[in-house]
Amino acid sequence: MSWHLALSVDRTAGHPLTAQVRENLCRLIDNGTLQPGSRLPSSRQLAADLRVSRSVVVEAYEQLSAEGYLTARHGSGTKVAEHLGSYAGGSALTGGHPEPGHTAARWDLRTGKSDVSSFPHQEWIRSMTAVLTAAGGTELGYGPPSGALRTRHVLGQYLGRVRGVRTHLQDTMITSGFAQGLALLCRVLRDRGHETLGVEDPGHPGEREFITSAGLRPVGIPVDDEGLRVDLLERSGVRAVLTTPGNQFPTGARLSRQRREKLVAWARAVDGYVVEDDFDGTYTNRSDVDLALQHLAPDRVVYAGSASKVLAPALRLGWLAGPSELMACVEKMRIGWDIGCSGVEQLTFAHFVSTGAFDRHQRRLRTEFRKRRELLQDLVPHHLPGAEIVGKTSASHAYVRLPPDVDEAALTKAARTRSVLIHGGGFYAMEEHPRPPSLVVGYAAVDSAGLQESMAELGTAYREVRGRGSRQ
């Protein structure tokens, strides 16, 4: 079939035609013009359209296939790789911004991904079938803006059982993922006179951008091996802070018991709030788990979580559990925002939790992620000699501290040329602080085989960078 493609070359540019074809195709894929699965003309057809030698297009196609941009099968033609769909687009909060010039890659070791391949399709279908079979006018009609009563009841029981969260039905809200919960909280805080929100440094860069768009100014609070520096928080002048006490993102530090108590005392002293982002409580080994920070102070801590990392982001299921007077304001804000999430999916989730399917799914995930973590602990010293994994071992990513002579930026750039997307520690930093070079290796969306392959390529880039450094 004669496929058309909006592509051109400039014969006066003094730039090789093969490079032009390759770079122009890269640009079209990176900016989303050519979407995953898009069919491309045959090399013969494109060469005829561009009026160039067929070898020019063949070489460009071969290079792009080797780099993971294209796939080619006999009888099926050439297509944009399907897997690139998980890398393109997205919001600031999910970290979905494209990488400049190299969005497409074979392996994506960036954080913020979910293992959607493990989604429990059959158990979810059984729960949804049960809900729809029993659904009447109430279940299929408009529900309360804070969420279906049944879902909030089941969720409250679940959070109390597995995370020690102390909440009541009226103080719990179902949101469209963590993103909507954070947006609602930011706007309520702004209306109550807050101009700033403390955030961990290093921390999630997308969250900082998101907070700014919600009308607050993020103020970086450094972290160390014991988590958030509460002493520096006390000097910052903020009256609310967003934190990941169970497993600091991205360093893996766990907020010490002493600092937990100091953080709660600070919130009471300034008449402020702590927003607890429990982003990876699912992956924490049950024998090595602290209760949620909210357990210490339900009157000052807003507990926030979602099903995005453990089930699938597409479900858009998140939750807040906070102080009564604050949650009443959040509910009023929500009424003017939307009229709630999908009631059917909320009730499906409640059934999924109440039948034990959610617990079973989490056990399977914890087992799989523990295997990947243990594999990574073996791969790091083998492929990155001199580097070490620091922090706790419960998350879906690892913070890898590099030797001081490694150029972090050069390493991540070299990794991209070997079709590996990965961020260095500097990507997550808000302020310039002296720190050892590091990598943050996300393995939620990479299975064991992919982890071995990607780390081998990363190791090659590592040796190249260290070799260049030793020659300078």
Side-chain angles (χ1 to χ4, degrees):
M1 188 174 292
S2 179
W3 301 94
H4 295 285
L5 180 62
L7 192 74
S8 62
V9 294
D10 183 359
R11 289 174 172 77
T12 66
H15 195 42
L17 294 177
T18 296
Q20 288 190 49
V21 173
R22 178 197 168 279
E23 291 166 5
N24 289 340
L25 279 171
C26 279
R27 184 168 58 254
L28 291 173
I29 295 171
D30 284 344
N31 65 25
T33 302
L34 286 177
Q35 299 181 17
S38 296
R39 289 288 297 270
L40 299 186
S42 67
S43 58
R44 188 183 304 277
Q45 182 64 59
L46 184 56
D49 291 344
L50 296 177
R51 298 181 182 179
V52 300
S53 168
R54 185 186 176 198
S55 63
V56 168
V57 179
V58 169
E59 185 177 350
Y61 275 10
E62 287 178 347
Q63 289 178 13
L64 291 169
S65 296
E67 294 169 9
Y69 281 88
L70 304 179
T71 58
R73 292 183 180 177
H74 182 70
S76 300
T78 302
K79 297 180 181 180
V80 177
E82 295 281 0
H83 69 82
L84 301 185
S86 62
Y87 308 143
S91 72
L93 192 58
T94 61
H97 288 321
E99 289 284 335
H102 286 281
T103 308
R106 185 175 179 187
W107 300 285
D108 192 346
L109 299 182
R110 295 175 297 178
T111 57
K113 309 297 176 183
S114 303
D115 187 4
V116 294
S117 64
S118 67
F119 184 81
H121 295 83
Q122 294 305 314
E123 290 180 296
W124 187 262
I125 289 171
R126 282 194 289 271
S127 289
M128 179 168 282
T129 300
V131 166
L132 290 174
T133 300
T138 300
E139 290 78 13
L140 297 177
Y142 290 108
S146 287
L149 297 177
R150 168 66 177 166
T151 305
R152 284 187 282 157
H153 175 70
V154 170
L155 180 64
Q157 291 182 329
Y158 167 79
L159 293 177
R161 173 169 58 86
V162 302
R163 301 298 290 125
V165 173
R166 300 158 58 191
T167 189
H168 302 287
L169 188 69
Q170 67 272 18
D171 300 331
T172 307
M173 175 179 286
I174 307 298
T175 61
S176 294
F178 174 75
Q180 186 184 49
L182 180 59
L184 288 166
L185 287 169
C186 285
R187 282 165 172 76
V188 167
L189 290 173
R190 185 186 61 189
D191 289 349
R192 292 164 72 96
H194 291 252
E195 297 179 352
T196 58
L197 178 65
V199 295
E200 294 171 333
D201 186 13
H204 196 311
E207 286 181 355
R208 298 195 292 266
E209 186 176 332
F210 196 79
I211 291 165
T212 300
S213 68
L216 296 179
R217 178 171 60 87
V219 175
I221 310 297
V223 302
D224 60 17
D225 292 342
E226 292 185 59
L228 184 74
R229 288 281 304 274
V230 182
D231 58 327
L232 299 181
L233 175 67
E234 293 169 342
R235 306 174 203 167
S236 68
V238 305
R239 292 192 299 114
V241 64
L242 172 64
T243 181
T244 52
N247 191 336
Q248 199 279 324
F249 180 85
T251 67
R254 186 172 296 178
L255 193 64
S256 65
R257 181 164 300 181
Q258 181 182 14
R259 288 195 187 176
R260 285 171 173 252
E261 294 172 353
K262 287 184 64 176
L263 182 56
V264 168
W266 164 83
R268 291 192 170 122
V270 300
D271 190 24
Y273 298 99
V274 177
V275 182
E276 177 180 11
D277 178 7
D278 192 23
F279 73 98
D280 80 334
T282 291
Y283 306 118
T284 305
N285 296 323
R286 298 298 96 181
S287 61
D288 184 35
V289 62
D290 291 323
L291 295 179
L293 179 68
Q294 191 266 1
H295 180 83
L296 292 179
D299 59 324
R300 289 296 167 186
V301 180
V302 181
Y303 179 88
S306 82
S308 295
K309 298 294 186 294
V310 62
L311 286 173
L315 294 177
R316 306 311 306 134
L317 283 172
W319 43 83
L320 299 175
S324 297
E325 48 91 20
L326 185 65
M327 292 306 295
C329 296
V330 173
E331 185 174 35
K332 289 180 181 178
M333 178 70 70
R334 180 74 180 276
I335 292 172
W337 187 296
D338 60 22
I339 51 177
C341 311
S342 165
V344 171
E345 289 192 347
Q346 288 185 55
L347 293 171
T348 299
F349 180 64
H351 186 276
F352 190 74
V353 173
S354 62
T355 57
F358 196 39
D359 284 68
R360 290 192 295 273
H361 177 63
Q362 289 179 83
R363 288 182 184 277
R364 290 193 293 267
L365 271 186
R366 281 197 295 274
T367 299
E368 173 60 27
F369 277 48
R370 184 175 64 250
K371 291 178 181 177
R372 296 182 194 178
R373 180 77 179 210
E374 291 171 350
L375 174 61
L376 189 62
Q377 288 173 329
D378 291 334
L379 294 173
V380 165
H382 179 70
H383 293 296
L384 310 176
E388 62 173 337
I389 297 177
V390 298
K392 294 294 180 179
T393 61
S394 59
S396 56
H397 69 274
Y399 194 81
V400 180
R401 188 170 293 157
L402 302 171
D405 64 328
V406 175
D407 186 326
E408 178 185 297
L411 177 55
T412 58
K413 183 178 180 179
R416 287 199 299 272
T417 67
R418 307 200 68 82
S419 208
V420 179
L421 292 180
I422 192 168
H423 285 312
F427 175 80
Y428 302 89
M430 187 174 182
E431 303 289 344
E432 289 291 338
H433 298 297
R435 60 174 183 80
S438 59
L439 293 176
V440 183
V441 184
Y443 49 84
V446 183
D447 61 17
S448 295
L451 197 56
Q452 293 184 68
E453 294 173 358
S454 58
M455 288 301 295
E457 293 295 334
L458 183 61
T460 301
Y462 182 77
R463 291 190 296 275
E464 291 173 354
V465 169
R466 296 196 84 179
R468 290 200 299 267
S470 64
R471 292 192 296 269
Q472 293 176 353

